[in-house]
Amino acid sequence: MQKLDTRIFGTTEKDIKNAAAILKEGGLVAFPTETVYGLGANAMDDEAVGKVYAAKGRPSDNPMIVHIADEEDLYQLTYEITADMRALMEAFWPGALTMVVPARPEVSRVTTGGLDTVAVRMPDNEVTLNLIREAKLPLAGPSANLSGKPSPTTAMHVFDDLKGRIDAVIQGEPCKVGIESTVVDMTGEVPMILRPGIITREKLSEALGKEVTIDPAILKKPDTFNNDGLLETGEDYKPKAPGMKYKHYAPKAEMIVFVGEPEKVRLAIAAEKMERVEFGQKVGVLMFDNSNPEKAAHDFFAELRAFDKSGVDVIFAAALAEDGVGLAVMNRMFKSAGYNIREVK
Ligand code: TXA
Ligand code: MG
């Protein structure tokens, strides 16, 4: 891959114009959103999105989310706005919700990983909305990290991973949410959550006035990965969002998730930490407040990256309850640990 001189843009009008020009020429620009930073390219251009897979080292069957700025942009990507889509757009856009809908033929099949559906989101970030409007392009935008690493919540995280591999990064604010959007499949009778996020099943049901299901694969905890970092996809694990099957978000250190009653988990982590320290290991501990899963979501990826920087040998993480936003945090936590789980009795 050719080494690029990655530019760092601010958020002035001139910066946005320059960034938009790069995108129009088929280049790659990382952009801020409220969830995590995205790596943008023209979603309608096979060659441009092809470069995104290469820059991230991402498997090409893993489709990307397309970012739009205005409701009208949807008609470039799909055919109609159904009543359910309308209800969710009104309740949550701009915001941390992605809808999977039928894709028009004009949408690059490189963007959709060969699928005839496309994932669409309107991010809640003024700078990026202006960028999309200025470029007049729907932006394919996976998280702007190297594939397999923790998602980036600051421009610096993006730079650490993708310097020399992308044309530019826009240095906006740190991400408010901290984990990626909720992905909902809108193509069936009943909407189905393919990836949990801060917009929970309960909130979706409330906005739609009906039940929403969760892809059962999300709740499974497979414990093996093959050499390609793929989960051993047995009968019982076939997630509908292709990206959910890959090993993800992994810090450099070994990571163990301690599951059990919070007080017992706290004691187990303290005891194991003492042992490891005696062996001369550097131990990182992640213990979030169960009553504030939003804060855990906000800090999670940044903490993993901080542990990478400080060179810990092992990370002990205390599990949160798997409901509401806690489900979304735990989905990331189990994956980052490669499902290395310690049950505390
Ligand atoms: O918050 C977010 O969603 C961030 C920011 C940048 O917007 N983006 C993000 O993109 O997390 P990415 O590419 O890292 O994750 C996209 C997820 C993957 O799990 C992918 O498999 C799934 O969405 N996905 C995308 N298109 C899909 C489709 N047509 N059908 C099913 N799943 C899809
Ligand atoms: Mg990602």
Side-chain angles (χ1 to χ4, degrees):
M1 208 170 75
Q2 186 199 343
K3 190 158 185 326
L4 301 169
D5 185 15
T6 304
R7 299 172 67 182
I8 302 173
F9 288 127
T11 58
T12 64
E13 215 173 295
K14 183 152 170 268
D15 286 315
I16 299 307
K17 280 214 159 73
N18 287 334
I22 294 175
L23 290 167
K24 283 197 237 182
E25 284 162 19
L28 307 186
V29 178
F31 57 85
T33 83
E34 78 283 33
T35 58
V36 303
Y37 272 70
L39 178 54
N42 178 358
M44 315 305 260
D45 176 351
D46 290 354
E47 203 181 314
V49 276
K51 289 195 265 181
V52 175
Y53 288 102
K56 279 182 58 84
R58 178 177 176 113
S60 60
D61 72 340
N62 187 5
M64 298 174 194
I65 292 173
V66 179
H67 299 73
I68 59 171
D70 298 288
E71 195 182 304
E72 302 85 79
D73 302 346
L74 260 181
Y75 293 106
Q76 285 178 262
L77 306 171
T78 193
Y79 300 96
E80 59 164 342
I81 299 177
T82 62
D84 282 352
M85 284 167 69
R86 164 118 0 248
L88 294 185
M89 283 160 59
E90 274 168 14
F92 304 113
W93 277 7
L97 177 75
T98 296
M99 294 194 279
V100 173
V101 298
R104 278 187 179 274
E106 294 82 4
V107 182
S108 164
R109 286 329 190 234
V110 182
T111 300
T112 69
L115 298 173
D116 288 326
T117 53
V118 58
V120 197
R121 166 166 121 80
M122 189 187 290
D124 186 13
N125 183 293
E126 239 4 88
V127 172
T128 291
L129 293 174
N130 287 336
L131 174 71
I132 296 168
R133 289 182 187 125
E134 181 67 37
K136 296 194 179 59
L137 292 172
L139 285 192
S143 49
N145 51 312
L146 282 174
S147 192
K149 293 254 180 182
S151 296
T153 55
T154 67
M156 195 66 222
H157 296 160
V158 177
F159 205 66
D160 281 343
D161 275 19
L162 299 178
K163 180 173 185 265
R165 305 171 75 89
I166 62 175
D167 295 291
V169 51
I170 297 176
Q171 186 170 22
E173 357 176 272
C175 304
K176 286 181 296 223
V177 174
I179 57 171
E180 308 86 341
S181 61
T182 306
V183 177
V184 189
D185 183 358
M186 303 299 289
T187 62
E189 265 305 292
V190 183
M192 182 189 272
I193 296 177
L194 306 185
R195 178 175 73 183
I198 56 145
I199 296 177
T200 59
R201 179 188 197 167
E202 294 73 25
K203 285 194 191 146
L204 291 167
S205 286
E206 196 185 306
L208 288 166
K210 66 179 185 190
E211 273 308 296
V212 172
T213 57
I214 299 188
D215 181 354
I218 291 177
L219 305 168
K220 296 253 163 58
K221 295 178 184 57
D223 52 8
T224 47
F225 292 91
N226 66 23
N227 291 335
D228 303 325
L230 285 171
L231 290 167
E232 304 282 356
T233 43
E235 274 315 297
D236 60 342
Y237 194 87
K238 286 206 192 72
K240 290 178 190 61
M244 299 295 278
K245 70 177 180 278
Y246 292 104
K247 183 161 182 176
H248 245 95
Y249 317 128
K252 290 187 198 128
E254 172 196 4
M255 179 166 167
I256 306 173
V257 180
F258 288 69
V259 179
E261 199 203 294
E263 187 51 25
K264 286 187 179 156
V265 162
R266 206 180 57 76
L267 292 172
I269 288 179
E272 176 120 7
K273 181 176 172 181
M274 254 173 37
E275 259 176 43
R276 297 277 189 136
V277 169
E278 262 174 51
F279 274 106
Q281 284 198 325
K282 205 168 160 188
V283 181
V285 175
L286 266 183
M287 221 172 306
F288 297 112
D289 177 0
N290 235 315
S291 67
N292 191 354
E294 288 80 8
K295 168 92 165 78
H298 179 269
D299 294 348
F300 181 67
F301 287 129
E303 294 271 11
L304 291 188
R305 281 182 179 263
F307 284 139
D308 272 356
K309 280 237 149 129
S310 67
V312 299
D313 299 295
V314 63
I315 299 167
F316 295 151
L320 299 175
E322 277 182 272
D323 50 26
V325 176
L327 176 68
V329 176
M330 289 316 299
N331 172 262
R332 275 73 175 181
M333 195 186 280
F334 286 132
K335 278 173 190 275
S336 354
Y339 295 91
N340 191 3
I341 296 169
R342 179 81 51 85
E343 305 267 358
V344 182
K345 295 272 174 345

